[in-house]
């Protein structure tokens, strides 16, 4: 059984002191062990931080934009060359569909190439504030960046933070999710084989607990923390990082609403919302988790949506006929199943998804559920549920739709489904979400920034602004004697 190791100061290690602890990563489709991982702690975290600080301070990496651009481009080429192998492991360790795994890797390839281009375009500016007096504003790397990752999209989310951090010239310490550590390592190998990257610029420490994350947040040698994950953990990270006032980039939870107006309630919309809500079995922060449907088409649209949900084929990620894979583990399957069982107390269960039998019975599979809820204060509307459970609500008019959509502290993503382009623009302008899609959902790409506010965090990832969290602006003043 393959072992995922730590990568510290240019070497793959089981621990910094010889034989270390090991853990098991399970295949959620079978609940059987699929890989092992080295389970690190504070010692590995400190060694990685020290290596990153030395590399940042003592090598020329931060002053070599052309080298960084070439390294990122070649990283993309190697990742693309190994996509089949890595996709297989993503399916095995994550339970997602293979087409989802392949799409994730190709998105990472695209992102690496995008930031390879930006690495050579980190321009500052010079102004003459008065005769002979000049202000030079220089863009410089922030220092050591810690990147803390979840399990749901381990390759995309790795690259989404690592690529701009390296493009900016930072040194990095990555804390991947133990569930998908082997897939993470296979992707990281596409970078670490490049001998042009100084030892210590890239480090990775795996753990099953929280000691490594806590050390990264508390260390004064870490300048930036980039975290993707739950709001609850994000708040803990913000509190832990307060002592050193380090910069934070937090992409946290989501509760994405899809607003369906009467003129947009087509069969194509039913198909789009089904796909947009069940991506990664609903385990994606931007996935649709609420559908707001206009009164006049509510009965017909929810009937068709329920039919689409009942028809979803749940199955192995490796089966090309599967339309939704498994959840990450049995505990999360049972958590979502419990929410569906209790939903009749607060609303109407339109589709009650259950765990399948047969060959899928041992895995973390659960058919999707559809629940109608009117109470905006309900936990089904206010909490991020993170699974294949979609909440349906009704609205009267445009004003009511906006009011209901905004009645949450989550603000990451949303979508508007209408044939009226002007209405789409009008509604989008009033929705308090970092992303609003029109007649589609989950369209994410390297060139366009994403992020939210309030309980969805702060900072932006992707796009040119994705570099900002890893860069500082230095003001250098000089006089020419004019």
């Amino acid at each position: 059984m393959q072992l995922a190791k730590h990568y510290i100061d240019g070497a793959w290690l089981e621990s910094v002191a010889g034989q270390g602890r090991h853990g098991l990563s399970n295949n959620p489709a079978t609940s059987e062990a699929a890989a092992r991982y080295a389970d690190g702690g504070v010692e590995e975290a400190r060694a990685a931080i020290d290596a990153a600080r030395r590399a940042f301070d003592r090598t020329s990496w931060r002053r070599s934009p052309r080298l960084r651009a070439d390294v990122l481009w070649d990283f993309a080429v190697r990742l693309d060359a190994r996509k089949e192998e890595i996709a297989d492991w993503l399916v095995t360790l994550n339970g997602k569909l293979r087409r989802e795994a392949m799409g994730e890797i190709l998105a990472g390839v695209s992102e690496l190439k995008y930031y390879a281009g930006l690495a050579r375009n980190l321009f500052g500016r010079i102004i003459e504030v008065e005769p002979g007096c000049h202000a030079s504003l220089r863009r410089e790397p922030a220092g050591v960046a810690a990147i803390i990752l979840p399990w749901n999209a381990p390759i995309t989310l790795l690259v989404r933070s690592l690529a701009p951090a390296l493009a900016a010239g930072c040194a990095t310490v990555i804390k991947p999710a133990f569930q998908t550590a082997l897939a993470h390592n296979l992707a990281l190998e596409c970078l670490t084989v490049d001998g042009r990257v100084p030892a210590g610029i890239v480090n990775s420490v795996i753990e099953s607990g929280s000691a490594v994350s806590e050390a990264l947040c508390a260390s004064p040698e870490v300048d930036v923390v980039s975290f993707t994950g739950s709001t609850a953990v994000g708040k803990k990270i913000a509190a832990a990082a307060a002592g050193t006032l380090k910069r934070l980039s937090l992409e946290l939870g989501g509760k994405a609403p899809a607003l369906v107006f009467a003129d947009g309630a087509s069969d194509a919309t039913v198909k789009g919302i089904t796909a947009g809500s069940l991506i990664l079995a609903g385990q994606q922060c931007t996935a649709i988790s609420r559908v707001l449907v206009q009164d006049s088409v509510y009965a017909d649209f929810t009937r068709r949506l329920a039919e689409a949900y009942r028809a979803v084929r749940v199955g192995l990620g490796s089966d090309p006929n599967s339309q939704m894979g498994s959840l990450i583990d049995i505990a999360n399957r049972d958590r979502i199943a419990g929410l569906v069982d209790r939903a009749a107390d607060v609303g109407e269960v339109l589709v009650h998804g259950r765990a399948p039998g047969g060959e899928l019975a041992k895995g973390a599979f659960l058919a999707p559920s559809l629940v109608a809820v009117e109470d905006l204060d309900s936990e089904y509307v206010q909490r991020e549920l993170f699974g294949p459970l979609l909440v349906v609500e009704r609205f009267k008019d445009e004003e009511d739709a906006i009011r209901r959509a905004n009645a949450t502290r989550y603000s990451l993503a949303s979508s508007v489904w209408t044939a009226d382009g002007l209405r789409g623009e009008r509604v989008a302008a009033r929705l308090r979400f970092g992303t609003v899609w029109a007649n589609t959902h989950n369209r994410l790409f390297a060139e366009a920034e994403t992020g939210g506010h309030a309980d969805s965090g702060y900072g932006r990832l992707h796009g040119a602004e994705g570099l900002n969290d890893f860069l500082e602006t230095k003001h250098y003043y000089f006089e020419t004697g004019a």
Side-chain angles (χ1 to χ4, degrees):
M1 191 178 295
Q2 291 195 50
L3 172 67
K5 298 180 180 181
H6 313 299
Y7 186 74
I8 300 173
D9 204 15
W12 294 99
L13 307 169
E14 291 189 40
S15 77
V16 295
Q19 186 73 25
R21 297 175 299 154
H22 292 168
L24 293 173
S25 299
N26 290 336
N27 181 340
T30 64
S31 299
E32 297 175 348
R36 297 182 301 148
Y37 63 89
D39 197 353
V42 173
E43 295 81 5
E44 284 75 26
R46 288 174 179 164
I49 293 168
D50 290 346
R53 176 51 62 186
R54 285 194 304 272
F56 182 77
D57 290 342
R58 301 178 187 178
T59 73
S60 60
W61 175 258
R62 68 183 187 274
R63 301 189 303 276
S64 306
R66 289 186 175 185
L67 170 62
R68 300 197 303 267
D70 289 348
V71 165
L72 287 168
W73 186 272
D74 290 346
F75 184 4
V77 171
R78 294 188 195 97
L79 183 60
D80 185 57
R82 296 186 66 178
K83 61 182 179 289
E84 300 290 343
E85 174 194 10
I86 297 171
D88 286 343
W89 274 107
L90 279 176
V91 172
T92 298
L93 297 172
N94 187 282
K96 64 178 60 180
L97 302 178
R98 198 174 193 284
R99 66 174 177 271
E100 293 174 332
M102 190 62 73
E104 174 180 345
I105 296 167
L106 292 177
V109 170
S110 173
E111 194 106 9
L112 286 166
K113 290 181 176 180
Y114 176 75
Y115 283 108
L118 288 189
R120 295 179 64 170
N121 291 275
L122 303 179
F123 303 128
R125 67 188 193 275
I126 297 177
I127 56 175
E128 188 171 19
V129 295
E130 56 185 65
C133 301
H134 301 265
S136 170
L137 289 309
R138 303 175 180 181
R139 299 290 273 162
E140 298 181 348
V144 174
I147 299 170
I148 303 174
L149 301 170
W151 45 259
N152 60 332
I155 309 304
T156 288
L157 301 184
L158 165 68
V159 171
R160 189 176 66 171
S161 291
L162 181 60
L166 295 180
C170 291
T172 59
V173 180
I174 308 159
K175 208 273 324 189
F178 70 89
Q179 294 95 329
T180 50
L182 185 58
H184 163 84
N185 278 21
L186 294 175
L188 198 62
E189 284 175 3
C190 299
L191 171 63
T192 60
V193 296
D194 194 326
R196 297 169 298 175
V197 181
I201 289 297
V202 177
N203 303 273
S204 176
V205 180
I206 309 163
E207 71 166 341
S208 59
S210 61
V212 171
S213 295
E214 291 168 5
L216 293 171
C217 293
S219 173
E221 300 299 326
V222 173
D223 303 289
V224 179
V225 174
S226 179
F227 169 73
T228 303
S230 73
T231 297
V233 174
K235 290 178 178 179
K236 291 180 180 179
I237 286 175
T244 53
L245 293 177
K246 55 175 53 67
R247 184 180 301 180
L248 298 179
S249 173
L250 304 176
E251 189 187 83
L252 308 179
K255 193 70 178 172
L259 284 62
V260 180
F261 287 88
D263 63 354
S266 64
D267 289 341
T269 298
V270 171
K271 183 178 179 181
I273 287 176
T274 301
S277 59
L278 299 181
I279 184 172
L280 310 187
Q283 300 170 118
Q284 180 166 307
C285 53
T286 60
I288 299 171
S289 57
R290 304 167 62 199
V291 178
L292 283 60
V293 184
Q294 194 159 19
D295 265 336
S296 60
V297 294
Y298 179 87
D300 178 66
F301 187 82
T302 54
R303 176 188 58 78
R304 286 183 285 140
L305 185 59
E307 289 175 355
Y309 256 50
R310 292 189 190 99
V312 170
R313 178 168 178 172
V314 177
L316 299 172
S318 56
D319 183 348
N321 294 316
S322 297
Q323 295 173 299
M324 190 182 87
S326 73
L327 279 76
I328 190 61
D329 54 34
I330 296 294
N332 275 285
R333 180 201 68 183
D334 293 347
R335 177 181 60 82
I336 296 295
L339 286 167
V340 178
D341 290 341
R342 298 193 304 273
D345 296 337
V346 297
E348 180 185 2
V349 179
L350 303 176
V351 178
H352 193 138
R354 302 184 186 278
E359 66 172 354
L360 304 181
K362 293 182 179 180
F365 293 95
L366 185 68
S369 298
L370 193 63
V371 176
V373 177
E374 292 300 313
D375 182 7
L376 281 176
D377 293 327
S378 166
E379 66 170 329
Y380 292 81
V381 174
Q382 294 299 328
R383 279 180 50 207
E384 183 182 36
L385 305 181
F386 219 62
L389 198 174
L390 183 62
V391 174
V392 183
E393 307 165 47
R394 68 169 76 219
F395 66 86
K396 297 177 182 178
D397 53 24
E398 193 172 301
E399 194 69 28
D400 190 35
I402 294 167
R403 178 186 66 85
R404 292 193 69 94
N406 286 337
T408 170
R409 282 190 55 79
Y410 291 107
S411 59
L412 195 57
S414 59
S415 55
V416 180
W417 303 74
T418 177
D420 185 341
L422 292 179
R423 173 191 284 136
E425 289 273 0
R426 201 165 55 238
V427 171
R430 295 181 60 194
L431 289 175
R432 295 197 302 270
F433 294 85
T435 296
V436 183
W437 290 286
N439 300 314
T440 188
H441 202 92
N442 278 323
R443 291 285 291 153
L444 299 164
F445 36 89
E447 294 86 347
E449 288 81 358
T450 60
H453 60 272
D455 278 3
S456 288
Y458 43 77
R460 289 297 182 267
L461 293 160
H462 302 301
E465 288 185 35
L467 282 163
N468 289 345
D469 287 327
F470 304 100
L471 288 169
E472 299 277 8
T473 298
K474 177 182 287 182
H475 175 204
Y476 172 62
Y477 175 80
F478 61 97
E479 298 181 5
T480 58

